[in-house]
Amino acid sequence: MLALGVAAQAAGTLVVSAPALLIPHLLAQGMPFASAGLFAAAPTIGLVLTLIAWGAVTDRVGERVVIAGGLALTTLTVVAAWVTAGDPLLLGVAFLAAGMTSASTNAASGRVVVGWFPKERRGLAMGIRQMSQPLGVTLAAMTVPLLAETHGVRTALVLPFVLCAVLTVLCATGIADPPRPVRAAATTSTPGTGFANPYRASGFLWRVHLVSVLLVVPQFTLSTYGLVWLVGLGWSTPAAGLLVGASQFVGAVGRILVGAWSDRAGSRVGPLRIVAVAAAAVMGALALVDVSHWAPAAVFLVVATSVTVADNGLAYTSVAEAAGPSWSGRALAAQNTGQFLAASAVGPGVGALVGVLGFAASFAIVAALPLLALPVVPRTDVSHD
């Protein structure tokens, strides 16, 4: 279940990461910076539009149908992107649709992990599951820029099509829905049963959602503009793509270590607070690197990418545990919706900042957001286990 959940999410991430990695190709064709950022945000906007709906469907019909069905639809959107590759507007619409369909794996694959793993192993398991996003970005970074530059956009879309098509079949045949509590065993108003609305019980989920919104901005700033930043420092596009991919892979390993750390610590919110401080520090360091043109820019980008993705698994596991089994689909979808709303603003917003202020000032502004998240992080964990 864990392997299929990771693979499904990685395939969806590969599709929705492709537009950001096409930015150098689009800029070379004369597209304005802000417009290229909006193009990169198209799949994220699609995710936002449908995540809550996919989460509700998952709570009702189960994970297998949602993951396999969503991947099948995502495969069709990749075909549409291949057909419309010559028209940037229509290509953007196709990627918008890809975001809408790939949201299914975001909403359901986390529930598979939460449902099949006990609490004392869940942080590690969710850390592995959260590898899926940086792994998907890694695959995209290592293939999309190089193939788009050498053979065109259509060739860059072959791998996403193949992976989504194959995983549709594998998930349809291999995923088993985790056991669910029997609704008759508790009333809908009994606290701690998992059936009561957890958003009414306390402000815990709202606070974790807000923290994640603030912490996702540095992550998407680097995944969207890390490639462009390196190219501006003199890197070739293929070499920059390889480095971005490598940094995402290191970040994926970091998520596993942070998940295991939270299991050992017996807390999700304690490590989350430390990660927020580290995210502010690394973004500030990148601003200094840009100003001073330090030679080891690559090292700083790898470290910053690793740190800024480390919070996802902690927050995701915390939300699932606090929501309970009957609300986790909707709560996890709400969690992702808030993050992707912020991520949707990163493309055009940070792009406009870079166009006016440059990368150093933009990185410094982004570094302030994790500091704002610190007082919002809850003091103690909440769990239905």
Side-chain angles (χ1 to χ4, degrees), residues 77-95:
T77 64
V78 176
V79 173
W82 191 90
V83 172
T84 60
D87 187 323
L89 178 60
L90 293 179
L91 182 61
V93 172
F95 279 121

Side-chain angles (χ1 to χ4, degrees), residues 63-121:
E63 292 80 2
R64 182 178 65 87
V65 171
V66 170
I67 293 175
L71 280 173
L73 293 174
T74 303
T75 304
L76 295 178
T77 64
V78 176
V79 173
W82 191 90
V83 172
T84 60
D87 187 323
L89 178 60
L90 293 179
L91 182 61
V93 172
F95 279 121
L96 174 71
M100 296 174 70
T101 58
S102 66
S104 60
T105 58
N106 289 71
S109 62
R111 272 190 57 124
V112 169
V113 175
V114 172
W116 282 114
F117 284 85
K119 183 178 180 181
E120 62 272 14
R121 293 165 54 202

Side-chain angles (χ1 to χ4, degrees), residues 337-348:
T337 296
Q339 287 184 303
F340 284 120
L341 274 172
S344 298
V346 167

Side-chain angles (χ1 to χ4, degrees), residues 317-331:
T317 308
S318 183
V319 166
E321 290 175 342
S326 293
W327 273 83
S328 59
R330 282 161 285 186

